[in-house]
Every structure is written in C-alpha cells, then in structure tokens.
Amino acid sequence: MTAKYHLVVHPDLGEELRELRTKAQENPTGLEAQQFGAVRRGLSALRGGREADLNGERLGYSDRHPDLRDCAEIKLPVVEEFNRRGRPMGPSHRMTYREFDAPAPEHLPVRQVMCFEPRKDGRPFEVTADRLGRTRGVPLAELDSLPNVEPAVGPDKDLNRPVSPVRRPLPAELAQAMKGLEGLPPASGAATPPSGDPPRSPIQSHRPPGPSRER
C-alpha cells in the first residue's frame, strides 16, 4: 500500500507505544494486545490517508476547550462500551494528529501523531493540549486563520464534517528534529509494511531540540 504521509509521533506517545508493544508481546490475547492492534490500524490509516475510514474529524476550539484547530482525530474501537440504556457508544479510543508540509520537495508531507487515549471524559483532547502546551479556553493567534469547527448536525452531517487537519508549514523545531531521521520516504514509491508483518513499532519519534520543545 502506497504511503501518502510520513509519520512521526510525539516523544511521550512513542514511549507509551514501546511499553504497550512489550506488554502485547507478553500477552497476545490481553487488553494491551488489542490496544496495540488498534494503534497499528490507526497509524496505517494515517500513513495512507484513509482517516475517513475511521470516522476522522477535525477538532476545534471553544471557551470550554483548548484550541486544537490544527488537529484532527480518528476513532478506533478497542473495547465495547454501552450507555445506561444498553446501547453501544461507538469506538472507545481516539488518536489525534497534526499535518505539515513536506520537509523537502522530494519527501512526503508529515503527520505528527500526538496521542492514543480512551475517549472517556475527553482525555484525548486534554492529553493533546498538554503535549502542545495549550490552556483550556485560550485561543491561539497563530491559528486564527484556521476554521473553528462547530459540531456537524443534520442528515448530511457526515458530508459536511471536515475530516483531516488543515496542513500547515512545518515548524522549525520539527524540521530540525527530522534532519536526524534517516530514510524519509520520497513523495513517490514509498510503501507501508504489509499488515501481516510481525508486531513492531511502525513509528518514528523525535525530541525537538532546546527548551521550546513540546510538552
């Protein structure tokens, strides 16, 4: 399957995924194995530009929420959850990410994966905001040119809902960090490993240099 994006993950998420992978290998039938399988499906979808297949949705901002207008989420089922009436509540986990221009013309655009968390109590959005150093209810001037996403309603809500994040220029600190990553896939001919490969970490993480790195 041809890759359309190069993926990097936030370093905190990278550490979490390495630990999750270890636990999944120790117990292939446990919850961690199910979570790691969902992670692999999510990363594969983001790499291949198939976020619409996982109910992708652009995030937004309000006075009660952090400003995440440059982010989007995909929805991943791991465990079944039901409301008080016994009705399914939908996918239990979320993966959030941002999108940037390619570091060079011959390379793929970049998607930075921020978190993989259970959706309950808005945890994916709190973790994403924390890792980006953003405070609830405070809009970012640098994102004012991006659309503020309102909840989609009505019979055609799925057609009117933005799926992917707005692509932005690659931040200087991320571009600098990526210079140390060898084997960046070119804009043509890049491919993802077959889904039948043995479990392994399909991501690269980075730690932006200097005190201004993301939390």
Side-chain angles (χ1 to χ4, degrees):
M1 182 179 297
T2 301
K4 295 182 178 180
Y5 300 90
H6 177 72
L7 299 188
V8 295
V9 302
H10 189 277
D12 292 344
L13 175 60
E15 293 175 5
E16 294 173 359
L17 295 187
R18 283 187 285 272
E19 181 178 354
L20 185 63
R21 174 176 175 265
T22 298
K23 292 181 178 179
Q25 290 177 328
E26 293 172 351
N27 184 7
T29 61
L31 176 60
E32 291 84 1
Q34 297 178 48
Q35 292 173 329
F36 192 67
V39 166
R40 288 175 60 88
R41 292 191 298 273
L43 295 177
S44 177
L46 293 184
R47 185 183 290 110
R50 294 180 288 104
E51 55 274 11
D53 295 344
L54 296 175
N55 298 309
E57 188 170 358
R58 191 180 300 170
L59 303 182
Y61 160 74
S62 77
D63 292 340
R64 297 179 291 107
H65 301 92
D67 194 343
L68 299 177
R69 283 175 287 176
D70 57 336
C71 301
E73 66 173 345
I74 55 175
K75 303 173 183 179
L76 297 161
V78 177
V79 296
E80 287 190 288
E81 297 178 320
F82 302 90
N83 63 19
R84 294 180 179 178
R85 296 183 178 181
R87 296 178 180 175
M89 297 180 64
S92 60
H93 284 62
R94 302 290 187 267
M95 181 176 283
T96 62
Y97 68 104
R98 301 192 292 172
E99 184 173 313
F100 300 106
D101 294 331
E106 68 272 16
H107 292 147
L108 296 172
V110 176
R111 283 182 166 177
Q112 181 190 29
V113 187
M114 298 303 303
C115 86
F116 171 74
E117 296 286 342
R119 60 158 186 82
K120 188 175 181 180
D121 299 325
R123 178 159 178 78
F125 317 121
E126 291 183 3
V127 171
T128 299
D130 180 67
R131 290 175 178 173
L132 290 172
R134 299 179 185 178
T135 305
R136 181 179 301 184
V138 179
L140 300 181
E142 65 180 287
L143 301 183
D144 283 345
S145 62
L146 302 183
N148 188 6
V149 179
E150 299 292 338
V153 297
D156 296 327
K157 64 179 181 179
D158 289 336
L159 297 177
N160 298 326
R161 179 182 59 197
V163 173
S164 305
V166 176
R167 185 179 299 179
R168 304 180 66 217
L170 189 67
E173 68 273 12
L174 186 54
Q176 180 65 30
M178 291 183 66
K179 289 182 178 180
L181 298 178
E182 297 182 356
L184 288 180
S188 62
T192 56
S195 58
D197 281 359
R200 62 184 179 87
S201 178
I203 47 84
Q204 291 175 301
S205 61
H206 70 280
R207 180 73 67 178
S212 62
R213 69 174 180 84
E214 295 168 345
R215 296 188 295 147

